[in-house]
Structures are given as C-alpha cells and as structure tokens.
C-alpha cells in the first residue's frame, strides 16, 4: 500500500530518511522552514566566495558513510588537505598529532550533501514552511479511518494526513512542536507527555559564527585551529580557502566559531561589534595584526548548535543522561508504534553530520518496515 510520510526538517536527518524511503512506493513530503535544504550543514555565497557557516566538513567515520558519499557522485567532492592544529586557554598554537581523519565538503558547499541525497528521491520539499502544530486523527475515507498525523504550518495551511511523521528539528524546537501536538486517548496523552519531557531534557549549546573576509592570503600551514581546553573565547577558527572552489586566489575567509559562553552572552550584539570582537581575538590567536581589519564580515547565530547529550540517555562520553532511560525508551517506542518518529543528531547523541544522517536513515528504514 502506498503510504504518505511527512518529515519536518530538511537537514541531514530529514534528507537521510527520505533517501532511505526512495525505493518504496511511499509518498514523501518534507516541510522545511528555511529557503534551502541542509539545516545546520549550511552554505552561503557572497562577493565571489562560498562558505560553510554551520558544519565545516563531514568526516567519513566508517565505510558505509564513505560508500554513500561516493555513490552520490565524486564530482565536486573536496578533501581538505591541510591539518587541524590545536590551542588552549593561553592561546598557544600547537601542531596536531598528524592523525587527522579526512575531512570532506563540496566545491558548491556542504549543502550539497542534503541536495544530492534528495536528488535521488521523489520527495516533495515544501520550503519556507514552518510546522507549528500537529494533530492525530482519523483520515476520512482511508482504510476505514486509519490513524494519521496532520501538520499545520504558521500560515495556517494543513499538510497531510500522514501515516507516519518524522520530527527532526533540534530538541528544543521538537519539544515546542510536541507541546503543540494533539493526541487524544489515554495512551497517546501519556506517551506524548513522557516524550515531551524527555525531549525537553536534551540540552543544546549555542554557537555564534563570525565570517571574516580579507583581501590577502594567510601564510600558515593549518586549515583549522581547535580549542582543546574549551576555555578560550574562540572555540574554532578555520580558513575557507583550504576548500577548493570556495575563495578566489589571493583572498582569505575565516570562519570563527565563538565559545558557547561567549556566544550566549553576545548572541544579539550587532554584527559589527561581534565581528570586531572576533577579529581582535583571531588576530591575537593567529599572531597577525592584519586580521583585526576584515574588509567584509557576515555571521550566523546557531541558538541550537550542538546537543550536549542524546535522547535515550546516550552521551558522547558513554555516561547516561536523564533520570529515567527506560521510561524514555518506552515513550519513544510507543510514539514510533503510532507513527511518530523523532530523529536527528540529538537522538543519536552526537552533534555530527554523519550521526544525523544515519539516525535519519534508520528512522526511514523503520518507517518502511512498519508500513
Ligand atoms: C556551528 C556548527 C559547526 C558544526 N561543525 C560540524 C562539523 O564540522 N562536522 C560535523 O559533522 N558536524 C558539525 N556540526 C553539527 C552538524 O551540523 C549537525 O549535527 C547536523 O547537521 C544536524 O542535522 P539534523 O538533520 O539532525 O538537524 P538540522 O540540520 O538542524 O535540521 C533540522 C531542520 O529542521 C528545520 N526546522 C526546524 N524547525 C522547523 C519547523 N518548525 N518546521 C519546519 N522545519 C523546521 C531546520 O530549518 C533544519 O533545516 C556543526 C554544527 C554547528 C551549528
């Protein structure tokens, strides 16, 4: 039977789920609030430059990710050759251990990942469509009234009914959607309340990215610098010109990701002030006074940049988050049974492009099995 599947969010989790469903008969609709796809794996263009202002690159941590990326086409794939070096609280730069894994993006930017996945599917992507509320109900005239999900967007338009619905916005935004979800009946209300509490408990940290452009090249051996002590006001700094096709010769474009503490405190500072602060600190860190004076700047605030933990108690360091792992697992299972699937990097417990992708693919495969 052909089923209708709704996906909220066209980041890597949403695109991965649509990709997993590509060979089924199911009809897939993606609702995406932005004008483009890719979510936090985002790319922008300005003054002849292209830059990835969210995720910087994707690592291919296992064969399946490498195989998938190559299956999507090797043309335009960029392997960043220069290494990542480190610095600490004192701002002292040191070479890395030389064991960097390969880091990939595309000449046309990291948004290519989601674009290429979606190009393999028949999914319809409804852009500039922000999901606001969700309701479970009987679809009239379908299989004697099967239970389905309907999504209403912020313009009041209805989408669906869907036999299964995947929610991929960062946890705080998914929690808002669950708070605006109607699922009547005792089982539904209980599962919804438990799921919402669990999703609410997944914290994200904030990162403000400053983009600094210079009309000259930097003569340094590294692609990126990472703060290993997590004590500096800059968390990460990298050179977009190390990515083929991103920056014209003779220019430099720095991506400066400020620390979560700095980013939270200065989230709403005007761009010129925030860029000034980032440029001053970048000049100091790199040891090059010219960096205090970029010829143009840009920025992006990522309020929900990276998850601190996972939904079902998984954390990066293997410890258990949340008080009631079993209760959360039960609530997720009940919701999935009813066709409501949370997915994304925060469900996987790791703020990484590949983690989001495979979490979405797994959810898509579960939906295909279930329907
Ligand atoms: C600054 C920064 C640097 C990073 N660096 C790296 C890196 O170098 N390497 C790496 O692997 N990972 C990195 N990450 C993490 C990586 O970007 C994420 O883990 C991954 O992209 C998450 O994908 P996702 O599909 O789970 O979520 P998202 O990409 O956030 O996708 C969710 C989508 O849902 C949409 N949405 C939200 N609410 C609604 C709504 N109500 N209605 C409709 N649509 C909605 C959003 O617009 C978005 O497109 C970085 C992240 C940030 C922010």
């Amino acid at each position: 039977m052909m089923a209708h599947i709704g996906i909220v969010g066209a980041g890597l989790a949403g695109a991965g789920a649509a990709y997993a469903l590509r060979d089924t008969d199911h009809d897939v609709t993606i609702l995406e609030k932005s004008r483009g796809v890719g979510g936090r794996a985002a790319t922008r263009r300005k003054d002849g430059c292209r830059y990835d202002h969210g995720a910087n690159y994707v690592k291919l941590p296992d064969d399946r990710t490498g195989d998938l990326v190559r299956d999507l086409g090797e043309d335009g794939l960029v392997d960043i050759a220069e290494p990542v070096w480190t610095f600490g609280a004192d701002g002292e730069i040191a070479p890395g251990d030389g064991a960097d894994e390969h880091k990939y993006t595309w000449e046309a930017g990291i948004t290519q990942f989601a674009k290429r996945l979606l190009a393999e599917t028949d999914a319809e992507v409804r852009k500039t469509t922000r999901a606001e509320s969700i309701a479970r109900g009987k679809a009239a005239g379908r299989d004697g009234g099967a239970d389905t999900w309907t999504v209403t967007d912020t313009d009041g338009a209805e989408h669906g009914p869907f036999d299964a619905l995947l929610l991929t916005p960062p946890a705080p935004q998914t929690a808002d959607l669950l708070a605006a979800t109607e699922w009547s009946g005792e089982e539904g209300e209980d599962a919804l309340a438990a799921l919402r509490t669990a999703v609410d408990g997944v914290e994200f940290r904030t990162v403000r990215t400053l983009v600094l452009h210079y009309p000259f090249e930097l003569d340094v051996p590294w692609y990126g610098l990472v703060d290993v002590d997590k004590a500096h006001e800059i968390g990460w700094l990298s050179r977009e010109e190390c990515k083929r096709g991103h920056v014209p010769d003779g220019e430099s474009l720095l991506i400066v990701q400020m620390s979560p503490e700095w980013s939270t405190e200065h989230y709403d500072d005007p761009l010129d002030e925030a860029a000034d602060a980032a440029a001053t600190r970048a000049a100091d860190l790199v040891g090059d006074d010219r960096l205090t004076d970029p010829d143009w700047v840009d920025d992006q605030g990522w309020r929900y940049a990276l998850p601190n933990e996972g939904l079902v108690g998984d954390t990066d360091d293997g410890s258990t988050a949340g008080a009631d792992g079993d209760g959360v697992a039960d609530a997720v299972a009940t919701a999935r049974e009813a066709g409501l699937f949370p997915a994304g990097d925060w469900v996987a417990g790791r703020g990484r492009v590949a983690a989001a992708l495979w979490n979405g693919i797994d959810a898509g495969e579960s939906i295909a099995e279930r329907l």
Side-chain angles (χ1 to χ4, degrees), residues 102-147:
H102 287 268
K103 303 172 286 296
Y104 293 90
T105 182
W106 285 262
E107 287 176 14
I110 200 159
T111 44
Q112 280 293 304
F113 204 177
K115 282 184 184 165
R116 288 182 185 207
L117 286 163
L118 290 169
E120 300 289 319
T121 77
D122 293 325
E124 180 192 343
V125 185
R126 298 183 184 159
K127 295 178 188 159
T128 60
T129 302
R130 182 191 282 259
E132 186 173 54
S133 63
I134 298 169
R136 182 164 168 83
K138 301 271 180 212
R142 302 229 346 245
D143 278 353
D147 282 320

Side-chain angles (χ1 to χ4, degrees), residues 33-276:
K33 72 175 167 63
S34 317
R35 276 172 302 166
V37 303
R40 279 170 277 154
T43 309
R44 217 178 259 163
R45 292 164 81 152
K46 186 176 158 93
D47 271 12
C49 295
R50 251 198 203 101
Y51 43 98
D52 300 324
H53 57 291
N56 300 292
Y57 49 76
V58 50
K59 285 186 181 171
L60 309 183
D62 43 38
D63 289 348
R64 62 178 187 166
T65 313
D67 290 348
L68 174 55
V69 164
R70 282 181 285 272
D71 279 354
L72 295 172
E74 296 196 56
D75 55 307
L77 190 62
V78 175
D79 182 356
I80 306 167
E82 291 84 351
V84 173
W85 285 19
T86 62
F87 63 96
D90 57 4
E92 227 20 72
I93 294 177
D97 58 10
D100 286 20
E101 289 164 68
H102 287 268
K103 303 172 286 296
Y104 293 90
T105 182
W106 285 262
E107 287 176 14
I110 200 159
T111 44
Q112 280 293 304
F113 204 177
K115 282 184 184 165
R116 288 182 185 207
L117 286 163
L118 290 169
E120 300 289 319
T121 77
D122 293 325
E124 180 192 343
V125 185
R126 298 183 184 159
K127 295 178 188 159
T128 60
T129 302
R130 182 191 282 259
E132 186 173 54
S133 63
I134 298 169
R136 182 164 168 83
K138 301 271 180 212
R142 302 229 346 245
D143 278 353
D147 282 320
T148 55
W149 299 94
T150 303
V151 180
T152 304
D153 68 29
T154 44
D155 291 328
E158 278 195 3
H159 305 268
F162 300 117
D163 300 286
L165 181 64
L166 195 74
L167 302 178
T168 75
Q173 292 169 322
T174 290
D176 286 348
L177 278 174
L178 291 172
T181 297
E182 266 180 51
W183 180 2
S184 51
E186 202 179 323
E187 191 195 40
E189 278 170 16
D190 288 353
L192 195 57
L195 187 61
R196 200 181 135 203
T197 306
V199 175
D200 242 343
V202 179
E203 287 179 5
F204 268 64
R205 47 196 191 276
T206 295
V207 173
R208 187 167 178 183
T209 300
L210 278 308
V211 179
L212 312 175
H213 179 270
Y214 302 92
F216 53 82
E217 250 171 281
L218 273 187
D219 185 19
V220 292
W222 40 263
Y223 152 61
L225 300 175
V226 63
D227 174 13
V228 281
D229 290 344
K230 310 247 178 288
H232 199 279
E233 286 177 321
I234 291 179
W236 164 271
L237 179 154
S238 55
R239 300 193 297 133
E240 209 60 13
E241 59 272 24
C242 295
K243 299 174 178 175
R244 193 177 66 240
H246 280 226
V247 180
D249 287 349
E251 302 176 19
S252 190
L253 191 146
L254 296 187
I255 297 288
V256 185
Q257 289 166 3
M258 304 306 285
S259 70
E261 295 73 25
W262 192 96
S263 299
T264 304
E265 199 178 328
H266 299 278
Y267 195 77
D268 294 318
D269 287 3
L271 170 58
D272 55 343
E273 275 175 35
D276 228 29

Side-chain angles (χ1 to χ4, degrees), residues 348-370:
R350 207 162 147 64
R352 287 284 172 267
V353 167
L357 167 74
W358 288 106
N359 195 265
I361 289 181
D362 286 350
E365 286 174 351
S366 303
I367 290 174
E369 269 169 33
R370 196 185 145 269

